[in-house]
Amino acid sequence: MSKQTRIGKTDLYVNPIGLGTNAIGGHNLFPNLSEDTGRDVLRTALEEEINFWDTAFIYGPERSEELIGEILKETGKRENVVLATKGAHKFIDGKVVLDNSPAFLKNAVDSSLKRLQTEYIDLFYIHFPDEGTPKDEAVGALKELKDAGKIKAIGVSNFTFEQLKEANKDGYVDVLQSEYNLFKREAELDLLPYTAENNISFIPYFPLASGLLGGKYNQESKFDDGRAQSPLFQGQEFVSNLQKVEEVRTIARRKNADVADVVLAWYLTRHSIDVLIPGAKKPEQVTRNLKALDVELTMDEIAEISAIFA
């Protein structure tokens, strides 16, 4: 059995390397996705005992949840997987609107249960905060669903520090999911200290900074997707970022590992980061992500990586 870690104060135990599934049926996020390949990614995750799967209503929309439900039914492995999904988006006249109202969240959970073909969701997140709903009121609705057995743990995603404190007024928040990587470390100012202090698990998304921390790009690399608009991938900043990645590669070579392995291993040394959810578009990437668990960083190496990206 693979190594298992506990997610914060929940009763959920998972492989520290999970699976982000926005490329499984996320046709609105990625062009030319093959659903058959997506199904193979999920089957490979099961074979490799990667048992924490992160999805959302808006991936597809709906299609990622449907494909996961299909594979878990096909394999009969629902009990082997800790399922996390998210809700907050709805469509009005073709436009996406955010809704955190208790009535909406309860309906969102019921709809996700159907698509996932399951009787419970292990972790349900409010995907984005809306402008009107008091955050503790929204979380209170999820607490009712938790008491009813429909969900096992409560998460919030993309909440600011102030919104997180309001959401956790009654101590019900189990998990925060937020953007965090070596290039984007603002969470260290307030979110990470707060989650550590309150035994809330912090799950970073974009841990490899859209592939930049994977160590596969050079100055000749060209991008025709959202990365082309990101400052990380533009001009002199891109050149500087590549130099930082090369410094990590020096450490990776000492470890007989790849850059991505070392980067993911560094996150797992952060207090309150229990599990990571790197994505995968191909089955071999699922297996690849697991290599991070073989990397043991010394205190000096942890400090060295931190200094490179100070």
Side-chain angles (χ1 to χ4, degrees):
M1 184 65 181
S2 59
K3 174 187 173 186
Q4 300 286 291
T5 188
R6 184 181 183 185
I7 298 180
K9 59 182 180 286
T10 74
D11 293 325
L12 306 176
Y13 289 82
V14 297
N15 187 322
I17 299 295
L19 176 66
T21 68
N22 62 355
I24 312 296
H27 300 290
N28 56 338
L29 304 174
F30 299 97
N32 309 314
L33 282 180
S34 160
E35 292 197 351
D36 283 339
T37 302
R39 291 180 180 96
D40 287 340
V41 166
L42 297 174
R43 293 186 188 106
T44 301
L46 286 171
E47 290 165 9
E48 298 285 358
E49 297 184 326
I50 293 177
N51 65 336
F52 182 59
W53 296 3
D54 179 275
T55 185
F57 159 81
I58 203 64
Y59 302 163
E62 302 185 347
R63 193 62 185 142
S64 179
E65 288 183 327
E66 289 171 351
L67 289 171
I68 288 170
E70 181 186 312
I71 291 301
L72 291 179
K73 186 171 185 184
E74 168 200 298
T75 59
K77 296 269 180 84
R78 170 65 186 99
E79 297 302 316
N80 296 49
V81 173
V82 174
L83 274 184
T85 192
K86 316 176 201 76
H89 301 82
K90 66 181 181 182
F91 292 90
I92 297 178
D93 298 329
K95 292 183 179 178
V96 178
V97 177
L98 295 174
D99 191 343
N100 295 174
S101 68
F104 174 81
L105 291 174
K106 289 175 180 179
N107 183 62
V109 166
D110 285 340
S111 298
S112 286
L113 287 167
K114 287 175 186 164
R115 287 189 292 272
L116 292 164
Q117 301 189 55
T118 183
E119 293 179 358
Y120 65 95
I121 292 164
D122 296 282
L123 169 59
F124 188 88
Y125 293 93
I126 301 170
H127 200 164
F128 280 86
D130 69 7
E131 290 188 4
T133 311
K135 305 306 160 223
D136 56 326
E137 190 177 301
V139 167
L142 296 185
K143 176 64 163 61
E144 290 180 29
L145 294 169
K146 184 177 178 179
D147 292 342
K150 289 188 176 184
I151 68 175
K152 290 188 174 182
I154 295 169
V156 296
S157 180
N158 299 296
F159 276 42
T160 66
F161 179 50
E162 292 303 324
Q163 289 168 336
L164 174 60
K165 286 197 295 183
E166 182 187 344
N168 195 45
K169 198 161 79 174
D170 299 307
Y172 295 152
V173 176
D174 297 305
V175 180
L176 170 70
Q177 187 171 137
S178 194
E179 184 172 3
Y180 175 68
N181 58 58
L182 281 163
F183 289 119
K184 189 173 175 63
R185 295 174 65 180
E186 294 90 335
E188 293 176 9
L189 298 174
D190 45 30
L191 292 175
L192 275 166
Y194 181 85
T195 54
E197 187 181 328
N198 289 275
N199 203 12
I200 294 171
S201 190
F202 184 105
I203 298 182
Y205 67 78
F206 292 154
L208 295 177
S210 299
L212 186 51
L213 288 165
K216 294 177 181 174
Y217 301 141
N218 57 46
Q219 290 185 40
E220 279 69 56
S221 298
K222 295 284 185 278
F223 307 99
D224 59 1
D225 53 17
R227 286 173 289 195
Q229 277 73 52
S230 168
L232 286 178
F233 291 84
Q234 290 180 0
Q236 189 54 43
E237 183 169 346
F238 182 49
V239 174
S240 172
N241 290 340
L242 289 173
Q243 289 170 347
K244 292 174 182 175
V245 171
E246 287 309 305
E247 291 183 59
V248 177
R249 196 183 307 279
T250 302
I251 299 170
R253 288 195 182 111
R254 295 202 301 259
K255 297 285 183 187
N256 196 25
D258 289 339
V259 172
D261 306 331
V262 170
V263 169
L264 294 177
W266 185 87
Y267 296 136
L268 290 173
T269 69
R270 304 294 88 189
H271 198 51
S272 83
I273 295 182
D274 306 308
V275 60
L276 303 172
I277 47 170
K281 289 182 183 174
K282 301 173 184 174
E284 55 268 28
Q285 291 172 324
V286 176
T287 308
R288 207 20 331 286
N289 290 336
L290 282 172
K291 294 191 175 179
L293 296 179
D294 296 329
V295 175
E296 289 189 23
L297 297 171
T298 65
M299 295 302 291
D300 286 345
E301 287 165 339
I302 292 167
E304 186 181 349
I305 293 166
S306 194
I308 292 168
F309 295 88

